[in-house]
Amino acid sequence: MTSAIPKTVIIIAGALFFCSLPWAADYFGEQYLISLFTRILIYSLAAVSLDLLIGYGGLISLGHAAFVGIGAYVTAIFFHHSFVAEPIAGIVAGSDNALLVWPLAIIISAAFALIIGSLSLRTSGMHFIMITLAFAQMLYYFAVGLEKYGGDDGLSLYSRNQLVGMDLNNDVHFYFVCLFFLTLFLFISHRLVKSRFGLVLRGAASSSRRIKALGIPERRYKLVCFVIGGAGAGLAGALLANQTEYVSPGLLHWTLSGELMVMVLLGGLGSLFGPVLGATAYLLLEETLAMYTEHWMVYFGPILIMVVLFAKRGLFGFLTQKE
Amino acid sequence: MADYILQVKGLCKSFGAVQASQDLSFGIQRGHIHALIGPNGAGKTTVLNLLSGELQPDSGSILLNSEEINKLPVHKRVKAGLGRSFQITSIFNDLSVAENMALAILAGRGHNFRFWKNAMAVDIVQHTLTEALARVDLSGRAEQQAGRLSHGEKRQLEVGMALVGGPQLLMLDEPMAGQGAGGTVELQKLISGLKGTTTILLVEHDMDVVFSLADQISVIVYGHCIASGSPEEIRRNSEVQNAYLGEH
Amino acid sequence: MILFIEQLLNGLQLGITLFLMSAGLTLVFGIMQVINLAHGSFYMIGAYVGATVTVFTGSFVLGVMAALAAAGITGMAVEILVLRQLYDRDHLDQVLATFGLIFFFNEMTRIIWGKQPLFMDMPVWLKGSIELLPGLVYPIYRLAVIVVGMSVALLLWYLFSRTRLGMQIRAGASNRDMIGALGVNIKLLYTLVFGLGTLLAGLAGVMAGPIFAVESGMGESILILTFVVIVIGGIGSVRGAVVGALMVGLVDTLGRAFLPSLFRTFLSSSYADSVGASLASMSIYILMAAVLIWKPRGLFPSYN
Ligand SMILES: Nc1ncnc2c1ncn2[C@@H]1O[C@H](COP(=O)(O)OP(=O)(O)OP(=O)(O)O)[C@@H](O)[C@H]1O
Ligand SMILES: [Mg+2]
């Protein structure tokens, strides 16, 4: 079969591609590519954070979109209140400063992940899948019920956040900010999965029985993993809110959770860089199929089933492994 | 007075209609190799599961170093000095052999909420990994994915991982099962080498192994402990002869 | 008081719909250990086929029959073509493959029936309302739904506790290894159980048709409620499904009806309405969380 390509080669190629994309788009005069690939970067970030859960922690969460949504809503709500110059709940002033709002989005998403995770991790297996889904759906309905922030219709931002030394309303600047955060998160995750914590986590995913028999209380480690994943998704949410300058309950919907899962699988479970490939492939495929038919999902569904049944290693695995 | 590391009193456990343990009482002396024998389905694994905390007894008590450990969860019992291997090999199939062993080494060294430094570069791993792998003859396999080891090698790895934490009482559930003759001899050597330093509770079907290694033997049939004593006593016990050894 | 009884009946009706959805699904989870996200699709198929056949033939009864057949047969086909390949896979594969099924079925209905929701008429003989108690006027159709659902529940109870097949199924749901030991044709049994589950989902769908709009994606919101029911009841337990479905149906309906006014007694009215409404839509999830803290494996856990 095909000879394997070393991982580093793929990663370097990917890095070069993403770094040079704005110039390429400029050269070919296809400016919309920048915003398309910004979206790809952001979804990649969310998918990588989900890969930490599924691929390394063995935690099949079907509610990951909730944390994307929380990050996005935090950003939008702070923006809204600074825009109308009215404190949030009459106490906290709004803000459109990225250095303030984005960390808040991360922290609040992480806090929700802590609560949802500690409840959900009381269970495992099928229960865990259904419970994460149900909690995410609960937050979805909560967002729908937020009349003050547009309810079903969502909330517009009118402008992106302020970041010192950058003009986020400039698409190229914003693109590189997203690329920076994706790279940072990839690097952190890479260290994480190789660390003692990561070793315990991978062990727990591989054999929960053995990890307990070694005297390790696995649930705490899984919970921390769940929180870190939630934090990453929260950051992705904050970026997404900035990109589209709009948030709606759709961001918390479980179909987004499912799509993120598809991206992870498509790219390669437990490979960190794989989900980036997966998100890229998924969104480009969607974009392309949608050009030919509005009913692209009718083809995509069976494709997905085929991938699950026959090509489980994903793109990254396909490229890097022999046999 | 004998020095008991573990004492079990009136232990009962049933699964629906199956009474897997019925009023079991026995003690394991420090430093001994204590064998647990009995026909298939007699309830030997259930005893280990009760001791390790994977199962909760319906009644009865378990004392480790004279302290009740009934209420402790699995991981706390490990901290208290229990280690084990499983009848169905249970290692981390997705990790490399070296990572398996490193995880076993790190497990007993405080918490593992260390997020940055590579686990394999931690001092204690660097110092002890080579020796720990050599002890179970797996030095040449360090980088291999554990799931791809041969059955016998997986067994060796599992025993090695249970040993590396330095348990006071090591419980081995049929470690020889599925081993080739060579592997059995190797493991037998390893176990007898531990005599005196680590107390061992050994579940084993191979009677030659049992009678050559054990200091004490308990026989379980249908959840009952029908006899307990030295290999000589067990050999002479007529009830055991009838119920169990006679079959062989 | 009248209002309360009326809402109680509404809650009962939702509970029964949820029971029809969850009875089959909990068995699929319990026996085959497969997580199936596409169960809502059969609810949708039931509703669409029912609505279409009813319009075409003018007979609601024929519509219901067609819905049951369509959902049951599609279900068995899906079991044979897709689900069967997934029994030995991990849950992640099952989630993703059945997620793909949802994509396919939702889009398929859009291709066949278009984007606009269908509206399904009630049959004339079920139109109108009757006075149950002085002052309590209740739609006949909804009463009929309750009666049909209860009859099905009784039928299932008979099937599971009085027939050989039922006992085998139950044994399998609470202890998977049992089935093989009983010498049953497992493949066939799986297909039948799956078909029965999807048929019940189709029934729930066609009965919901005249009450809600029939549209693509309608299966997913009910699916999630079904999951909540199963989590509360315990995977693999039909009894759990009954109890869970009624709890969820009642809590959801009563919460929506009365929480806002409850909050109005101590909060300003506009604020009370929005807090009450938000909380009401979250109430069943809070219920689920509470059950989870108390019994992580549900109210009627099985051995697996
Ligand atoms: N989790 C369980 N649920 C139900 N029954 C069980 C469970 N575990 C064990 N049993 C039953 O308890 C009895 C004792 O089983 P156990 O595994 O302890 O036997 P054993 O002595 O280890 O047998 P073997 O030599 O075959 O390993 C058996 O009848 C078995 O079927
Ligand atoms: Mg055994």
Side-chain angles (χ1 to χ4, degrees):
Chain A
M1 280 262 324
T2 50
S3 62
I5 309 171
K7 284 180 190 173
T8 39
V9 171
I10 297 178
I11 292 171
I12 290 171
L16 284 177
F17 172 81
F18 279 110
C19 284
S20 58
L21 184 104
W23 286 283
D26 209 32
Y27 182 79
F28 292 109
E30 306 274 9
Q31 290 303 325
Y32 82 97
L33 281 179
I34 296 180
S35 76
L36 172 64
F37 273 86
T38 307
R39 205 156 71 92
I40 288 177
L41 291 174
I42 299 172
Y43 275 91
S44 296
L45 175 56
V48 173
S49 72
L50 182 60
D51 191 28
L52 278 183
L53 266 61
I54 302 181
Y56 294 94
L59 300 170
I60 308 176
S61 164
L62 196 41
H64 206 57
F67 309 116
V68 176
I70 291 169
Y73 263 90
V74 168
T75 310
I77 288 172
F78 270 84
F79 186 92
H80 176 77
H81 282 274
S82 103
F83 190 74
V84 300
E86 172 208 321
I88 299 167
I91 313 166
V92 190
S95 167
D96 64 353
N97 181 353
L99 288 180
L100 183 74
V101 176
W102 295 0
L104 264 177
I106 294 172
I107 290 168
I108 295 176
S109 296
F112 272 92
L114 183 66
I115 299 168
I116 292 179
S118 50
L119 284 169
S120 308
L121 280 168
R122 295 172 61 80
T123 67
S124 60
M126 269 194 258
H127 275 103
F128 183 81
I129 299 173
M130 290 195 277
I131 284 159
T132 47
L133 171 59
F135 278 126
Q137 207 60 10
M138 166 174 117
L139 292 172
Y140 168 79
Y141 285 117
F142 182 75
V144 169
L146 284 175
E147 295 292 339
K148 187 167 170 52
Y149 304 115
D152 237 345
D153 298 328
L155 187 63
S156 280
L157 273 78
Y158 308 111
S159 165
R160 290 185 182 151
N161 285 140
Q162 303 293 325
L163 183 64
V164 282
M166 286 276 185
D167 176 15
L168 295 186
N169 284 309
N170 176 323
D171 279 343
V172 176
H173 281 205
F174 186 64
Y175 176 89
F176 278 109
V177 168
C178 292
L179 185 57
F180 168 76
F181 279 115
L182 174 62
T183 313
L184 182 68
F185 193 75
L186 276 171
F187 182 63
I188 292 175
S189 306
H190 173 73
R191 296 298 305 221
L192 201 70
V193 299
K194 296 273 179 212
S195 71
R196 282 177 76 166
F197 171 78
L199 188 59
V200 169
L201 201 61
R202 286 183 287 143
S206 181
S207 169
S208 136
R209 184 169 215 204
R210 176 42 70 191
I211 211 86
K212 282 191 205 130
L214 287 177
I216 299 177
E218 55 164 358
R219 200 190 286 171
R220 292 171 210 174
Y221 293 86
K222 289 183 168 176
L223 182 58
V224 171
C225 172
F226 197 82
V227 172
I228 294 172
L235 175 60
L239 294 175
L240 204 57
N242 272 280
Q243 203 224 344
T244 53
E245 299 179 26
Y246 168 71
V247 298
S248 74
L251 286 175
L252 297 97
H253 201 259
W254 75 288
T255 44
L256 178 59
S257 302
E259 282 174 317
L260 291 175
M261 222 183 229
V262 173
M263 292 173 195
V264 173
L265 179 95
L266 217 53
L269 207 57
S271 60
L272 290 184
F273 194 69
V276 178
L277 291 180
T280 312
Y282 182 90
L283 292 172
L284 289 181
L285 194 67
E286 176 183 328
E287 198 84 359
T288 326
L289 285 177
M291 264 196 287
Y292 294 104
T293 164
E294 73 175 296
H295 298 299
W296 62 277
M297 285 211 284
V298 94
Y299 302 103
F300 189 73
I303 293 179
L304 177 56
I305 297 174
M306 293 297 163
V307 171
V308 171
L309 291 181
F310 303 114
K312 191 138 182 240
R313 285 182 301 156
L315 287 170
F316 196 65
F318 178 74
L319 293 174
T320 55
Q321 283 171 22
K322 288 185 210 161
E323 287 168 52
Chain B
M1 238 332 256
D3 175 18
Y4 287 108
I5 187 167
L6 184 104
Q7 279 171 299
V8 169
K9 289 177 188 157
L11 210 55
C12 295
K13 176 75 191 177
S14 50
F15 301 105
V18 180
Q19 294 199 305
S21 305
Q22 299 186 50
D23 196 19
L24 286 179
S25 301
F26 61 89
I28 300 175
Q29 292 185 40
R30 198 178 302 280
H32 273 188
I33 294 181
H34 191 119
L36 208 55
I37 62 174
N40 282 57
K44 305 178 295 290
T45 300
T46 304
V47 173
L48 295 203
N49 287 340
L50 289 168
L51 296 183
S52 74
E54 281 198 27
L55 291 174
Q56 284 299 317
D58 300 332
S59 61
S61 64
I62 304 166
L63 296 116
L64 183 67
N65 294 319
S66 310
E67 300 212 19
E68 264 231 12
I69 56 168
N70 281 28
K71 294 277 176 294
L72 296 184
V74 177
H75 67 90
K76 294 232 169 100
R77 296 192 198 193
V78 178
K79 290 264 184 304
L82 289 182
R84 79 175 286 189
S85 77
F86 293 90
Q87 184 170 0
I88 300 166
T89 313
S90 151
I91 53 175
F92 305 113
N93 281 324
D94 303 326
L95 307 187
S96 73
V97 172
E99 284 177 321
N100 267 273
M101 197 56 92
L103 190 41
I105 293 168
L106 291 168
R109 307 274 163 173
H111 69 80
N112 285 290
F113 290 101
R114 305 284 163 81
F115 300 97
W116 202 249
K117 189 172 179 182
N118 190 319
M120 305 306 282
V122 174
D123 287 347
I124 183 77
V125 175
Q126 296 265 308
H127 291 145
T128 50
L129 182 63
T130 320
E131 196 204 315
L133 286 175
R135 172 153 63 174
V136 284
D137 243 359
L138 288 172
S139 303
R141 292 266 184 268
E143 291 316 313
Q144 181 138 6
Q145 193 185 333
R148 302 199 171 172
L149 292 176
S150 73
H151 180 78
E153 289 169 329
K154 285 184 183 168
R155 271 277 122 115
Q156 283 158 252
L157 178 58
E158 182 166 19
V159 173
M161 286 165 72
L163 273 176
V164 87
Q168 297 178 37
L169 174 62
L170 178 62
M171 304 187 283
L172 301 173
D173 199 348
E174 304 195 16
M176 317 288 181
Q179 287 277 22
T184 304
V185 173
E186 282 296 315
L187 268 175
Q188 203 170 335
K189 245 192 265 166
L190 182 67
I191 293 170
S192 60
L194 293 168
K195 213 166 187 159
T197 54
T198 308
T199 313
I200 293 175
L201 178 58
L202 176 70
V203 173
E204 186 50 58
H205 275 301
D206 186 332
M207 286 307 133
D208 295 339
V209 172
V210 169
F211 280 94
S212 69
L213 282 178
D215 301 297
Q216 286 276 312
I217 299 177
S218 295
V219 186
I220 298 190
V221 176
Y222 290 122
H224 284 288
C225 181
I226 60 165
S228 205
S230 70
E232 270 318 300
E233 289 165 343
I234 295 299
R235 226 192 283 272
R236 276 187 267 115
N237 186 310
S238 60
E239 205 178 339
V240 178
Q241 294 282 343
N242 293 339
Y244 183 47
L245 294 178
E247 295 171 11
H248 287 254
Chain C
M1 190 60 207
I2 293 294
L3 186 64
F4 184 74
I5 296 177
E6 192 180 331
Q7 293 300 339
L8 215 57
L9 285 170
N10 284 343
L12 192 61
Q13 185 227 315
L14 176 61
I16 279 183
T17 307
L18 289 176
F19 168 71
L20 292 179
M21 288 293 291
S22 45
L25 194 57
T26 199
L27 286 176
V28 170
F29 287 177
I31 299 180
M32 306 164 200
Q33 301 281 303
V34 164
I35 181 145
N36 173 20
L37 297 184
H39 200 63
S41 295
F42 302 101
Y43 175 86
M44 177 178 73
I45 289 172
Y48 266 107
V49 171
T52 311
V53 172
T54 305
V55 170
F56 193 70
T57 63
S59 157
F60 182 70
V61 174
L62 280 181
V64 172
M65 306 290 265
L68 294 185
I73 291 170
T74 326
M76 289 197 273
V78 164
E79 197 273 340
I80 291 169
L81 288 175
V82 181
L83 267 283
R84 206 171 262 188
Q85 328 296 325
L86 294 171
Y87 292 147
D88 298 329
R89 300 297 199 92
D90 57 31
H91 291 321
L92 181 67
D93 290 359
Q94 298 163 356
V95 165
L96 287 161
T98 53
F99 191 62
L101 283 175
I102 295 183
F103 275 176
F104 177 76
F105 282 119
N106 278 349
E107 206 53 48
M108 218 46 195
T109 55
R110 257 177 235 140
I111 293 175
I112 299 176
W113 284 282
K115 275 192 189 138
Q116 295 303 318
L118 298 185
F119 291 94
M120 188 177 171
D121 250 346
M122 303 180 184
V124 184
W125 45 278
L126 287 176
K127 271 199 178 132
S129 310
I130 52 167
E131 192 165 5
L132 287 179
L133 287 173
L136 175 63
V137 184
Y138 201 74
I140 297 178
Y141 184 78
R142 284 172 180 258
L143 274 184
V145 170
I146 295 177
V147 172
V148 170
M150 284 187 165
S151 325
V152 171
L154 276 179
L155 217 68
L156 284 181
W157 171 80
Y158 180 80
L159 175 71
F160 286 128
S161 57
R162 291 284 178 272
T163 68
R164 203 181 138 76
L165 177 70
M167 296 207 202
Q168 285 167 349
I169 295 176
R170 231 165 25 130
S174 65
N175 186 350
R176 215 178 161 205
D177 302 329
M178 283 283 288
I179 279 199
L182 291 173
V184 184
N185 180 343
I186 297 186
K187 273 193 174 169
L188 185 65
L189 185 72
Y190 280 11
T191 310
L192 284 179
V193 170
F194 197 81
L196 175 69
T198 57
L199 180 138
L200 292 176
L203 176 63
V206 67
M207 290 201 308
I211 304 179
F212 306 111
V214 177
E215 58 188 334
S216 176
M218 69 188 284
E220 275 75 80
S221 44
I222 193 103
L223 176 77
I224 291 167
L225 291 184
T226 306
F227 281 179
V228 173
V229 167
I230 294 177
V231 167
I232 290 177
I235 286 176
S237 163
V238 179
R239 195 154 44 123
V242 175
V243 176
L246 289 179
M247 281 169 75
V248 170
L250 289 174
V251 167
D252 190 55
T253 310
L254 296 181
R256 279 175 209 282
F258 299 112
L259 270 183
S261 50
L262 194 72
F263 276 90
R264 232 173 282 145
T265 56
F266 57 90
L267 279 175
S268 76
S269 79
S270 76
Y271 205 58
D273 281 351
S274 77
V275 172
S278 272
L279 217 69
S281 58
M282 289 164 56
S283 57
I284 54 164
Y285 302 101
I286 296 168
L287 171 72
M288 180 187 79
V291 170
L292 211 61
I293 291 169
W294 177 43
K295 286 195 155 187
R297 290 158 57 90
L299 295 177
F300 300 94
S302 52
Y303 270 117
N304 284 321

